[in-house]
Amino acid sequence: MKDAQWYPGTMARAAGRLQKDLRLVDLVVELIDARAPVSSRNPELERISKNKQKLILLHKADRGEKEINSRWLFYFQKRGLQAALSSVQVPATVNSFLEFLKRQKTQLRGSRFKRPLRLVIVGIPNVGKSTLLNYLVGRAAARTGDRPGITRGRQWVRLLAGVELLDTPGLLPPLLSPEAVFPLTAIGALPPERADQQQAAHWLLQRYRERGKMSVLLERYGGLEEDAPAKVLAQIGTSRGCLLPGGKIDLERAAALFLADYQGGNLGSLSLELPPQL
Ligand SMILES: Nc1nc2c(ncn2[C@@H]2O[C@H](COP(=O)(O)OP(=O)(O)OP(=O)(O)O)[C@@H](O)[C@H]2O)c(=O)[nH]1
Ligand SMILES: [Mg+2]
């Protein structure tokens, strides 16, 4: 599928809309996935929000490896960017985000006339924007889901007294770099039809191998020999009874199952991209 044909019209419209909304906001909160901070950053979002005050949240930090998360955080901060780790599974991270917002509100009050602090939450699909919003307001204000493209329109929500937040639909760049396709598939930011699921599964299996974490797969699927990704995928298929009529292994189903297990957090924490050595 060609990128130009794939890039949905709704996303192009949402990007245009966001450009207008940016004029109304004091702060842009960009959510990226802590496991893949390069691929999950949309350069288009960076470009259109470059004149705004920004906070980068390395979100779903609970799914990334602790030590690598810290290295990524250091990497962003070293480059002069405001950044923090974030996860709805780690309340301390959400609390420090709230404290940050309260400080921002006080500063705004001090410097300008009385109006609420307005922030917008942006990022690629499925990175956790609406879930974070719901967690912050303590109710299901926005629809969430484990698929990309859940939020369709924009939505303002009052977060605290004097702080308003705009939830936005996930945005991907119109042209994805080839290196980003598999990480984005692994974290569930791309619809399955966008990439070859078996190749994506091979790529992810390779990451488990590289990070020395094959034992996690052994525990989940049993009886795996450490071997080439294609063979491991076939073994996963066998162990999970993914069979086609006639008894051949249904590799497509095995790949979907394995990717879903990674996305669902059933395979421990695994970072997909490493920060450059500083
Ligand atoms: N492990 C983990 N999962 C999370 C976290 N935050 C969100 N999720 C999950 O990520 C999935 C996507 O969440 P959403 O909030 O719908 O993502 P979104 O960015 O609003 O997605 P779009 O509306 O499609 O752009 C859901 O299954 C959430 O439960 C987190 O901090 N840790
Ligand atoms: Mg959403």
Side-chain angles (χ1 to χ4, degrees):
M1 208 182 319
K2 282 208 185 116
D3 282 315
Q5 288 168 346
W6 163 81
Y7 187 62
T10 46
M11 234 179 239
R13 279 191 293 281
R17 179 74 234 197
L18 177 64
Q19 249 172 319
K20 287 193 189 127
D21 285 331
L22 282 175
R23 290 186 211 136
L24 306 173
V25 303
D26 307 292
L27 170 72
V28 175
V29 177
E30 183 186 348
L31 256 67
I32 61 178
D33 193 301
R35 296 165 295 179
V38 177
S39 298
S40 67
R41 260 202 115 178
N42 177 348
E44 189 74 3
L45 284 174
E46 272 182 77
R47 191 183 58 77
I48 61 177
S49 64
K50 72 170 183 296
N51 296 323
K52 287 279 165 184
Q53 199 203 340
K54 181 176 290 175
L55 173 69
I56 295 174
L57 291 182
L58 292 139
H59 194 62
K60 301 198 187 179
D62 56 296
R63 293 280 173 79
E65 293 162 59
K66 269 207 172 102
E67 189 247 316
I68 297 175
N69 285 344
S70 308
R71 278 169 54 197
W72 271 117
L73 181 61
F74 183 67
Y75 169 84
F76 280 105
Q77 290 175 338
K78 199 83 184 149
R79 290 174 68 213
L81 297 161
Q82 285 194 104
L85 295 172
S86 158
S87 165
V88 294
Q89 306 289 339
V90 187
T93 62
V94 186
N95 290 336
S96 41
F97 177 46
L98 275 174
E99 289 308 314
F100 169 84
L101 292 180
K102 284 180 193 159
R103 284 197 301 276
Q104 294 293 312
K105 185 179 80 169
T106 315
Q107 276 178 18
L108 180 80
R109 285 271 158 97
S111 64
R112 280 182 238 174
F113 52 91
K114 277 205 167 188
R115 67 159 179 80
L117 171 78
R118 295 197 195 99
L119 59 135
V120 63
I121 197 160
V122 300
I124 61 166
N126 207 25
V127 71
K129 299 176 292 300
S130 304
T131 304
L132 178 62
L133 179 159
N134 286 344
Y135 192 95
L136 289 165
V137 295
R139 67 188 165 89
R143 209 157 75 82
T144 63
D146 59 0
R147 286 177 288 113
I150 294 281
T151 305
R152 294 295 172 143
R154 40 196 281 297
Q155 183 186 2
W156 280 104
V157 175
R158 209 188 74 128
L159 205 64
L160 312 162
V163 181
E164 288 170 10
L165 182 149
L166 177 64
D167 187 23
T168 60
L171 294 179
L172 285 163
L175 287 172
L176 290 178
S177 78
E179 306 83 62
V181 171
F182 292 148
L184 290 176
T185 300
I187 63 174
L190 288 179
E193 61 277 13
R194 178 63 181 73
D196 184 305
Q197 298 292 285
Q198 285 184 51
Q199 280 181 24
H202 291 172
W203 180 88
L204 184 59
L205 284 167
Q206 197 61 39
R207 303 287 80 71
Y208 274 92
R209 253 177 100 170
E210 270 176 19
R211 310 276 325 126
K213 292 197 167 216
M214 289 304 277
S215 58
V216 180
L217 305 184
L218 187 78
E219 210 172 287
R220 174 110 184 134
Y221 303 115
L224 298 178
E225 293 151 30
E226 280 197 35
D227 215 335
K231 293 199 178 150
V232 177
L233 187 62
Q235 288 167 6
I236 291 174
T238 310
S239 87
R240 285 298 143 115
C242 302
L243 296 177
L244 292 166
K248 265 183 83 177
I249 302 167
D250 188 345
L251 292 171
E252 202 58 26
R253 199 146 72 82
L257 190 142
F258 170 55
L259 291 167
D261 269 348
Y262 178 69
Q263 282 159 28
N266 299 326
L267 300 173
S269 57
L270 180 82
S271 298
L272 302 174
E273 293 172 348
L274 304 182
Q277 294 294 339
L278 294 173

